[in-house]
Structure formats: C-alpha cells, structure tokens
Amino acid sequence: MKRLFICIALLAGTMSLSAQKAMKAPAGGKAISDELLGIFFEDISSSADGGLYAELVQNGSFEYSPSERDGWGPGTAWKVLRPGHSLGRLEPRMDNPIHPNNPTYMRILTERVKEYYDYDGWKGFGIENSGFDSISVQGGARYDFSAFFREPLAMSGKTEVRVALVVPQGWGKAPKLLADATLAISSNEWKKYEAVLTPSETATKAVLQILVLTKGVLDIDFISLMPQDTYKGHGLRKDLAQALADLQPKFMRFPGGCVVHGGGDGFWDTYRWKTTIGPKEQRRGLKNTWGYHQSMGLGYFEYFQFCEDLGMEPLPILPCGVSCQGANGGWSMKEQAQDVVPMTEMDEWVSEAMDLIEWANGDPATSAWAKMRADAGHPKPFNLKYLGLGNEERISPEFEERFKYIYDKVTAAHPEIVIVGTAGPGSHAGNPDFDNGWRLAVETGMPIMDEHYYEPRDYFLSSRQYDSYPRDRKTKVYLGEYAAKDKKLIDALAEGLYLLHVERNGDVVCMTSYAPLFAKKTNTNWNPDLIYFDNERPYLTCSYYVQQMFGQSAGQYFYGDCVTIDNPDAAPRWRGLSKEAKSGNLQDQSVVLNTKTRHLYVKICNASDKTKKATVNLSRFPLKKTAVKTVLSGAADDENNYEAQPIAPKSETIKAEKRFTMDVAPYSFIMLDYAL
C-alpha cells in the first residue's frame, strides 16, 4: 500500500511537471521578443525621495543647498522646537563630518531645558521634521528611527534625547503623542543610535520631533525614519512597488533619463553610480536635473535588488562623456549646447562601465568591486545582461568619438554584455540625431538602439513606423520613452493600438517602456505620467491598465491571422507622417503565444465610437475548457485622477471556444487569456 501511494505521488508530480513543460509553437507564428514590456524609472516628480524610496524624513542629512533650489539649505524641512520656552541654538557645521560625501551636520546647543511654563510635560530644545508634505503613519505599524549623534565636548557623557512622532495641535498647544522613545547619547565620536516607534493610531499629518533634554552641545546627522513593512523588506514603499510588480515588467531601465548626465547644469552634476552604493551615510547626494535634491538612499544596490525582487532584467544607463543636449539652456537653442569630457580623460568613464559590470557580475573572491556587493548583503552576482551608454544626446562628432571609445573597450572586454545605444530625442526619420544615431548603430554593430518620442494621441492612433523598418538590420529597437500627451482613456487606447503594432513588429522591436513612470501630487514636473501618488496611495491611470495587460501577455510568438475585424476604420492620418509612411486603423488585434508558460493571449483594441465585430479562429491551439476575459472600457474622455478612478479592467471566466465571433464595444480594450 505504501509503495502504491509513493507511485501515485510520483506520477502526480510527473504530470504536474509535464503540464508546465514548454510547448512547441504551432505553425504560422513569428518569433518575437518576450521582453517587450518593461519600466523606466527616473527620479522626476519626486519619484524616489518622498516616493518609491520609503524614507519618511526629508533632508535627514542636512545636505539641501541653495545651489539646488533658491531658499534651500541645511534647515529645509526642519524647524526649531522649544516647548515651554526652552532655549538653545542651531549651527549647521561641516568640520569632522561622518563622511566627506555627507559633509553637513547640525549642532544643537541647548541652554535651558526646564519648563518655563507648563506645556503638558513637554520640554527640551531640538528640531522637528515635517517629512515630504507631512509624515503619514499607520497605527500599530513599526517604524525604525535612527540617527548619528556625537557629544563633541564630552561634557556630561550622557545626553538624553527624546524622539517622538506627534500630530501638531496648533500654536500654544502640546502636540498629540503617537509614539516616543528616549536615547542616552554617550559618545564623543559619531555613533548610530536606533529606536522603534509604534504609533498608537493612524495619522496622515504627523511630524518627527527630536528634543535634547540635557543642557550642553550635541551633534546630529543622517536622521532616518523608515517603516519596517517595506516591499520584501528592501526599503521601498510597499504600495508603489506593488503597483510596479502588477505590471509584470520584464526589465527596468534606470536611473534616467536626463538625470544620468547632468541635464540641467552641465556635466558637473553627472550621476556617478559608485557614490550611490555602500552605507547610506557615505553616499553623495546630488542636485537633481528636475530641480531638487537626490539623497541616493535609492541607489544602484537598491535598483538591482528591486530588479531581482520583480524578476526584471536590470538596464542601467551610464553617461559616455557628453552631457544632455539640454544642458546650459540648450533646450531652447538652435545649436544644442553640450559639455564634453576631453578624450584624455575618457578612460575614467570607461572604468565606470567596466567597474559596474564587475560590481554586478564579478566574483567577490577575485574582484574588489564584487566584494563590495557581497559586503552589502548580496554575494551572488546580479547577472547583468544589458548596459545602456548615453541618453538622448545630440549625435554630434564629439559624441560619436566618445561613444565609440567606450563601446569598443567595453565590448572587447565583455562581449557577453548587450549594449544599448541612443537615437537622441525625437526618434523619427528626418531628425538629424535619429539619422546619425542609426548610422552609428550600423557602423558599430550596436545590438540595441534606444528611441524616444512623446507625441499627440493622433500619432499613436495613426503611425505604424516599425512596419517599414529594415528586417536585415542587426540592431534591434528599444522604445525607451514614449507616451501620448494626455491621460484620458482615448490616449491609453491609442497607446494600446501602437503596442499591438509593436507586437506585430516584435522581431524588430525588442523592448518598450512608457515614460515617465511616477509623479507625486505635490511635485509634478511632467505630465502625463503612468502612476500618480500622494503619501497615502497610488492613483493608476488608464494608460497603466493598458500597460498592465501587455505585461501580463508576454510571449515568444506572434500570430497575425487568427483574428479578423470587420470593416476597420482608418485612423485620421497624423499630420507629421510622410507621404509614403503607412497609417493604421482605429481597431487592431494581436495574438501572442507564450510557449514557456503555455498561455495564449488574444488582444483586441477599438478606439472608435462604433461597435465592431471580430471573428476569432484559434483552432490550431490546444485550448483548455475555460479562459479569462479582461475588458477595459469607458467613454473616450474618461480619466483616472485624484478625485475619481472610473476606469479599471474587469475580468470574468468564460468558456474557451476555438471559433467564435464577438462584439467589441466602443472605446474598449479586450484581452483573452487561454491556458494550453
């Protein structure tokens, strides 16, 4: 009997494994990329600090500077706290800091801490942080407070500090206490002190107070308040990270964008990945291209870790010796301004790429950079496959010389790394940068070219530019930044039609990513964006749900002859199309097979105000009995925003049929998911 049970168990296990075994694709399919949908993260519109990075304290290292934004300084987001008329002074200082990359700290000189008048037991002198548009906390959740303290004069050897989460109640009133802890500081050298704060109730307008309860002098730096409940415990805000996970992206491009190479002020503020790894108090903050401070709490280690958590291929972008074409006011100049690195200094930028590959993929036993990765908690390699060189630069002779220099050296040393180049901004034929970029790609044998364009919805409804791309060209296309210029349902459907066109051309286009990804309600630099958010929740756009359906339906084979749409309507021809350029319809379809997961996906989009009939023939596929039907639909001008979220996909289980007709409602996107 026991032997029979074992045999049955083994048979069941074998059947389970067999059910998941990859299948052979039926005839008639075209091989396409199964990494078509990814994400592009750039720290724009407070996407990192105050966004995806879960840190709740703003300017915790006192490094904000007027050079980043007028009126900013070490005290930005902080205010003096003196309950009961305590007395003291604050001094921003830079002598003997924790680390040269984090030079500024705050000295608190406390002169009187005894209550001058009753303030409900509150006393001390100190500072208060308002976070990023206040601090939002959940009752019963645990929050890790940490800060570096030092008693520079070693006067008492024991300075008491009270740390509290409170809700201010107005002038002259004691705050409402949510949680507090008392620390005893007893070191005349920088030392990290920690406490756990557990709020008694949920509050969306809390602040963090740090009160010195002992007369004397105390230095403080690198203050942090981090929720313990972050995405997979890796320091990212859980709801925003989950919104990205739900897209099922296959790769992530980071950290930009124009952030990469000093887009706003020239090459001097170029992003340097080496100063974003290691202990966070040793990372170097940087002025952001979009007008604010980057703490680098979300740095290269966190980017790679997040890619691993979501099963995404990391696609880091490095500068290649030339600044963004918009540097020094170049956006408005006919001759775009660029800063360039002298060729005699280009080996430094080659090393940036070489060392990154070693850090990501090397053996800690033989590589100093790989050992840094291991020391940070990741001894196994990150298995970096892709590396981007450059972002939207003007394809000038200076750029070409520097790009080739890096490209040749990196590919010679690491032929296994797939290099992604750039076609400059405005990636359409006739644009000099686009034409020069593709010429350079052909000359170098570049594996992938990164194209960018933001256009009105009419472009995405009409243009079918990849139908005419050469099939014999070795260089594939990565559509790294694109979006219709509004966030209504009709714009999302226009993008959906374009992505169906991309799937049909998945032998030429290997990757796509919508941009920008995130925008905070109170600091939006760019519109539209895929996900808007405030301190409490994300707000998912119509475009988000279209992206999600494409992320859920990745596969290796495209079938163009399974669905017929009766009398499709020609899209209004976009005025920018050349006479010979092909134009599309307001209805389109795609059938994609994933042989690895044994799923078949049928997608149909209708961006018109008419109901259309689609005839579907799936007779070549071994369908199981049921399928899942998901529909996104509404009025053309429907929009998800902070006030309302009327648009969301609805799913139901249906009977799987091999041959059928179906009505496709106006302004709708349908996905059918079949298990095989």
Side-chain angles (χ1 to χ4, degrees):
M1 188 70 179
K2 182 177 180 182
R3 181 179 296 175
L4 177 62
F5 176 81
I6 292 172
C7 290
I8 292 172
L10 288 172
L11 180 61
T14 302
M15 291 174 65
S16 175
L17 288 172
S18 177
Q20 297 302 316
K21 187 177 180 181
M23 65 180 287
K24 182 180 179 181
K30 176 171 68 173
I32 64 171
S33 168
D34 60 2
E35 295 180 340
L36 275 177
L37 191 128
I39 56 176
F40 161 46
F41 184 92
E42 179 172 13
D43 189 0
I44 181 175
S45 301
S46 294
S47 295
D49 295 323
L52 184 61
Y53 183 48
E55 175 61 60
L56 296 174
V57 172
Q58 183 177 184
N59 194 21
S61 59
F62 306 104
E63 297 298 336
Y64 280 26
S65 166
S67 66
E68 296 175 315
R69 180 175 291 183
D70 287 345
W72 271 14
T76 300
W78 294 97
K79 75 175 187 178
V80 175
L81 196 62
R82 45 191 299 263
H85 285 276
S86 300
L87 295 179
R89 293 181 292 119
L90 300 179
E91 287 184 4
R93 298 178 67 108
M94 301 180 73
D95 54 307
N96 192 19
I98 295 173
H99 192 273
N101 284 343
N102 178 24
T104 310
Y105 61 91
M106 192 67 71
R107 175 160 291 179
I108 303 176
L109 302 99
T110 306
E111 299 170 7
R112 184 176 70 198
V113 297
K114 188 176 180 180
E115 295 173 342
Y116 186 71
Y117 68 87
D118 181 53
Y119 199 63
D120 293 339
W122 286 83
K123 64 179 182 179
F125 177 80
I127 52 179
E128 176 182 290
N129 191 271
S130 54
F132 298 90
D133 309 310
S134 78
I135 295 174
S136 182
V137 294
Q138 295 291 315
R142 294 163 66 86
Y143 295 83
D144 291 329
F145 169 85
S146 65
F148 284 80
F149 291 98
R150 174 178 64 184
E151 281 188 311
L153 305 182
M155 295 175 62
S156 66
K158 188 177 181 181
T159 300
E160 278 194 302
V161 174
R162 186 187 188 190
V163 179
L165 271 170
V166 304
V167 178
Q169 300 297 299
W171 187 84
K173 297 180 181 179
K176 182 178 184 178
L177 178 64
L178 300 175
D180 69 338
T182 301
L183 305 172
I185 313 303
S186 56
S187 174
N188 62 359
E189 300 292 336
W190 286 113
K191 181 179 177 182
K192 188 176 183 179
Y193 291 79
E194 299 172 299
V196 176
L197 301 178
T198 305
S200 56
E201 61 184 78
T202 296
T204 60
K205 300 295 181 183
V207 296
L208 177 69
Q209 295 187 344
I210 302 171
L211 286 162
V212 180
L213 307 180
T214 309
K215 183 178 178 180
V217 181
L218 185 68
D219 293 338
I220 184 171
D221 200 4
F222 212 81
I223 302 161
S224 171
L225 184 68
M226 180 75 75
Q228 287 188 359
D229 187 20
T230 61
Y231 191 76
K232 297 195 176 184
H234 290 154
L236 301 187
R237 185 173 144 177
K238 204 169 183 180
D239 57 348
L240 298 186
Q242 187 61 54
L244 298 183
D246 291 343
L247 289 169
Q248 297 186 26
K250 305 305 181 287
F251 65 90
M252 183 172 79
R253 172 179 174 237
F254 61 89
C258 292
V259 163
V260 166
H261 48 194
D265 298 300
F267 209 65
W268 71 270
D269 64 345
T270 294
Y271 191 106
R272 307 300 290 266
W273 72 266
K274 293 178 181 179
T275 61
T276 75
I277 60 173
K280 293 188 179 182
E281 68 274 10
Q282 296 181 14
R283 300 181 185 183
R284 181 173 64 88
L286 185 69
K287 180 181 178 179
N288 186 287
T289 296
W290 304 105
Y292 56 89
H293 181 83
Q294 292 176 280
S295 74
M296 301 305 176
L298 177 55
Y300 258 57
F301 184 85
E302 290 75 23
Y303 284 128
F304 273 81
Q305 193 171 56
F306 187 49
C307 288
E308 186 175 81
D309 287 344
L310 265 62
M312 303 181 290
E313 295 285 354
L315 173 49
I317 308 297
L318 296 181
C320 48
V322 180
S323 74
C324 176
Q325 84 287 345
N328 303 319
W331 294 110
S332 59
M333 296 170 63
K334 184 176 180 180
E335 293 297 325
Q336 297 167 328
Q338 285 181 304
D339 291 333
V340 298
V341 171
M343 287 301 298
T344 56
E345 299 176 12
M346 279 301 297
D347 283 341
E348 176 185 348
W349 299 93
V350 173
S351 294
E352 288 279 299
M354 299 288 203
D355 294 343
L356 175 60
I357 295 168
E358 276 300 307
W359 177 82
N361 293 353
D363 181 352
T366 58
S367 167
W369 285 107
K371 185 176 184 303
M372 291 180 66
R373 182 196 72 234
D375 290 345
H378 202 283
K380 293 182 179 180
F382 280 118
N383 299 316
L384 176 66
K385 173 181 173 183
Y386 297 109
L387 177 64
L389 296 177
N391 169 76
E392 284 193 0
E393 290 91 349
R394 182 165 63 92
I395 313 301
S396 61
E398 293 81 6
F399 172 83
E400 290 193 36
E401 183 181 19
R402 285 152 183 79
F403 179 88
K404 287 179 180 178
Y405 189 81
I406 294 183
Y407 179 86
D408 289 344
K409 288 183 176 294
V410 172
T411 53
H414 292 282
E416 77 282 4
I417 297 296
V418 179
I419 300 298
V420 180
T422 176
S427 299
H428 299 303
N431 181 301
D433 295 324
F434 177 75
D435 295 340
N436 287 331
W438 271 107
R439 174 183 50 76
L440 180 61
V442 172
E443 289 176 5
T444 58
M446 189 190 306
I448 300 175
M449 171 68 85
D450 181 11
E451 298 186 349
H452 298 175
Y453 40 89
Y454 300 91
E455 301 290 355
R457 75 172 69 104
D458 287 351
Y459 171 82
F460 294 99
L461 288 171
S462 176
S463 173
R464 300 294 178 262
Q465 77 178 71
Y466 297 119
D467 286 347
S468 61
Y469 272 41
R471 263 45 202 177
D472 58 350
R473 193 160 57 189
K474 292 182 179 180
T475 305
K476 302 298 182 184
V477 176
Y478 166 35
L479 178 50
E481 295 184 33
Y482 75 98
K485 293 184 177 180
D486 209 339
K487 50 183 182 287
K488 301 181 187 300
L489 177 60
I490 185 60
D491 299 282
L493 295 176
E495 293 158 357
L497 282 172
Y498 200 72
L499 284 173
L500 292 174
H501 156 68
V502 165
E503 279 190 332
R504 185 170 67 249
N505 290 282
D507 55 332
V508 169
V509 183
C510 62
M511 304 162 120
T512 70
S513 51
Y514 182 105
L517 188 61
F518 281 123
K520 191 161 191 177
K521 183 177 182 180
T522 52
N523 187 31
T524 298
N525 300 109
W526 185 289
N527 275 302
D529 304 278
L530 196 65
I531 301 168
Y532 293 82
F533 66 94
D534 56 24
N535 285 344
E536 279 69 60
R537 58 166 291 190
Y539 297 84
L540 308 177
T541 62
C542 301
S543 293
Y544 172 90
Y545 290 119
V546 168
Q547 294 282 317
Q548 185 182 57
M549 283 194 271
F550 277 91
Q552 292 169 344
S553 58
Q556 300 82 31
Y557 291 89
F558 168 85
Y559 294 82
D561 59 349
C562 297
V563 179
T564 302
I565 299 171
D566 291 353
N567 301 313
D569 301 311
R573 190 175 180 85
W574 182 58
R575 57 177 175 76
L577 289 183
S578 61
K579 290 182 179 180
E580 63 277 7
K582 194 173 181 179
S583 186
N585 295 323
L586 295 178
Q587 298 83 28
D588 208 344
Q589 55 80 30
S590 173
V591 176
V592 171
L593 172 65
N594 192 316
T595 58
K596 298 176 184 177
T597 63
R598 302 179 70 95
H599 274 256
L600 181 73
Y601 304 98
V602 177
K603 295 188 287 289
I604 305 173
C605 182
N606 182 4
S608 79
D609 60 356
K610 306 182 186 75
T611 298
K612 292 291 179 176
K613 189 174 293 294
T615 302
V616 183
N617 182 351
L618 305 176
S619 57
R620 77 188 75 175
F621 303 102
L623 308 183
K624 292 192 175 179
K625 292 183 178 181
T626 61
V628 176
K629 179 181 180 181
T630 302
V631 180
L632 185 74
S633 64
D637 289 336
D638 280 348
E639 176 184 322
N640 289 346
N641 51 44
Y642 293 108
E643 287 71 43
Q645 298 268 299
I647 301 298
K650 296 179 181 178
S651 297
E652 61 176 327
T653 300
I654 61 171
K655 180 182 177 181
E657 299 177 272
K658 291 201 172 188
R659 295 174 182 268
F660 60 95
T661 60
M662 64 185 301
D663 288 336
V664 184
Y667 303 116
S668 67
F669 194 99
I670 299 172
M671 182 174 75
L672 304 174
D673 177 359
Y674 297 89
L676 305 180

